[in-house]
Amino acid sequence: MFAVTILGNNSAIPTLERHPTAQVVTCNEQLCLVDCGEGTQLQIAKYKIKRSRLRYIFISHLHGDHYFGLIGLLNTLNLLGRTEPLSIYGPAPLEQIIQLQLDSAETQLKYELSFVPLTPGYSGIILIDKELQVSCFPTQHRIPCFGFSFEMQKRKRKLLPDQARAYEIPAAYFSKLQDGEDYRRKDGTIVKNDWVTLPPPPAKRYVYCADTIYDTGLLRWLEGADLMYHETTYLHELHERAAERYHSTAVQAASLAAAARVKQLLIGHFSSKYTELGPFLEESRPIFERTAIAEEGVTFLV
Ligand SMILES: [Zn+2]
C-alpha cells in the first residue's frame, strides 16, 4: 500500500477544527511522517496511526507550524519504550534545536535517533530503502524550505507464465525470474529473462511541495506524478498577499497540477482566517478537476 494520511492542514495558528501541517506517507509496513506541526502526536493517536511503524521523519522548513510538534513526539516515543531506530531529515539547525531540548531535560533516548541535515538549495536522492526512494528539492519560501518526492519501488518484473512454461522453466524458479535472473536449462542453453518477463510497472510517485510561492520551477519535480500536494494558503483574491508571504493560492496550485499533468492534486495549509474550505475547491476544480481538500483523517491512495 502506498498512501498519504492527512493529520493537519492548517497554516500558522492551530485552531480547534484544523491542525498545523503533518502527513503520514504509508509505504507498505513502513511509515514516514512529513512535517510535524504542534499537536501531531495527538492526531497520530486520534487517527490510530501505528507509531511503532514510524521509521522516517521529513521536516520541510523551520517555520513553527511545520515542526513544533516534533520534540513532543520524540519524547513520547521514548516514554513508550521505543527501541527501533528513527531518522529525521531536515534543515541543519533542527539537529541543535532537538539536542538542546533533550539535553536541558537530561533525556537520554532509548532509541537511536539519526539526523540527516539538508543543505539549503540541495536537490537529489536522500533516501533509498528496500521499497522507498525519497528525493528532496528546494522550494521558494521566506526561509530555506524543501519539498519531498516519494517513489515506491516496484522492483519485481512481471512474469509471463505461459512463456516460462513453454521454455520448460519449473514454477519453483518463477520468483527468481521476477527478480531478473536468466534460466539455464539442463542442456546448458540459456533462457534470457526478458523472453519470459516484462519490465516492472513504473514506480508510483507522491510529491509534497511544502510551503512555496507560485513557482513553475517545481514542474520538473511534479511532471507526471500520481499524486501531488500543494499549499493553498489563500484564495486567489489574496494573490498579492500570497506572493508577499511566499505562499500560493488555489488557482496557482491547480495551474501547476494541470501543467505537470499529474493524476491527482491535494491542497492544504489553509490560512486560519478561512472557516469554509469549499471555495478552495470551487476555485481549483475548473482549472484542475481532480483536486481534493487535504482533509484531516482522510487517507489518499497514491
Ligand atoms: Zn512556512
Side-chain angles (χ1 to χ4, degrees):
M1 163 144 138
F2 190 23
V4 181
T5 304
I6 307 302
L7 299 182
N9 64 13
N10 219 33
S11 72
I13 302 167
T15 67
L16 289 172
E17 293 78 29
R18 300 201 305 263
H19 298 74
T21 305
Q23 304 186 354
V24 172
V25 174
T26 300
C27 181
N28 289 333
E29 299 302 301
Q30 296 198 112
L31 304 183
C32 304
L33 179 63
V34 187
D35 281 336
C36 187
E38 196 178 334
T40 296
Q41 60 169 323
L42 294 174
Q43 294 291 84
I44 284 176
K46 179 174 178 184
Y47 295 114
K48 299 185 171 55
I49 306 292
K50 293 212 167 65
R51 295 184 195 88
S52 59
R53 292 191 182 165
L54 186 59
R55 181 71 190 83
Y56 304 108
I57 299 178
F58 300 89
I59 301 294
S60 63
H61 67 301
L62 296 183
H63 281 153
D65 54 335
H66 293 257
Y67 85 100
F68 279 173
L70 189 56
I71 191 66
L73 174 64
L74 298 179
N75 195 57
T76 296
L77 294 176
N78 197 44
L79 293 173
L80 290 170
R82 183 187 178 102
T83 52
E84 303 81 27
L86 183 67
S87 302
I88 302 178
Y89 295 73
L94 182 58
E95 186 172 18
Q96 267 183 299
I97 295 171
I98 295 169
Q99 204 52 54
L100 180 67
Q101 288 174 307
L102 294 175
D103 289 348
S104 330
E106 296 181 13
T107 298
Q108 300 262 357
L109 295 179
K110 293 188 255 334
Y111 57 93
E112 186 193 321
L113 183 66
S114 56
F115 186 84
V116 181
L118 303 176
T119 313
Y122 177 77
S123 66
I125 296 170
I126 50 173
L127 167 68
I128 298 179
D129 198 336
K130 59 182 192 307
E131 292 171 312
L132 183 68
Q133 178 173 303
V134 184
S135 303
C136 75
F137 54 90
T139 69
Q140 307 302 318
H141 196 40
R142 301 194 300 278
I143 57 173
C145 185
F146 296 91
F148 300 103
S149 172
F150 298 83
E151 250 184 57
M152 185 154 155
Q153 312 279 57
K154 277 241 168 51
R155 296 235 171 85
K156 296 251 181 230
R157 295 180 65 86
K158 186 170 164 28
L159 180 75
L160 302 169
D162 292 345
Q163 260 95 321
R165 275 191 284 270
Y167 283 105
E168 296 166 349
I169 302 176
Y173 199 82
F174 283 4
S175 75
K176 288 191 172 163
L177 295 177
Q178 288 173 305
D179 289 336
E181 291 186 27
D182 294 337
Y183 179 70
R184 181 187 289 271
R185 298 207 290 190
K186 287 202 185 81
D187 62 7
T189 54
I190 300 288
V191 179
K192 287 279 190 197
N193 187 282
D194 57 7
W195 299 348
V196 291
T197 66
L198 292 173
K204 292 231 171 193
R205 196 150 52 90
Y206 170 55
V207 185
Y208 173 83
C209 291
D211 281 14
T212 183
I213 197 169
Y214 172 67
D215 174 18
T216 52
L218 292 175
L219 287 173
R220 59 183 280 250
W221 293 98
L222 292 170
E223 196 69 54
D226 297 276
L227 178 63
M228 76 175 259
Y229 162 85
H230 198 287
E231 67 130 287
T232 53
T233 308
Y234 299 106
L235 291 170
H236 208 67
E237 60 184 6
L238 292 183
H239 69 273
E240 281 171 5
R241 185 186 301 183
E244 278 165 26
R245 299 185 182 182
Y246 285 77
H247 283 305
S248 306
T249 71
V251 164
Q252 292 168 338
S255 317
L256 280 182
R261 290 185 292 269
V262 300
K263 297 207 178 80
Q264 234 191 119
L265 168 66
L266 268 183
I267 54 173
H269 199 267
F270 308 107
S271 165
S272 32
K273 72 197 276 311
Y274 298 105
T275 48
E276 294 296 323
L277 299 179
F280 284 86
L281 280 187
E282 285 159 27
E283 243 186 49
S284 55
R285 280 194 172 154
I287 302 165
F288 188 79
E289 170 64 29
R290 293 175 309 282
T291 304
I293 296 280
E295 213 172 301
E296 294 181 8
V298 176
T299 297
F300 298 87
L301 293 177
V302 180

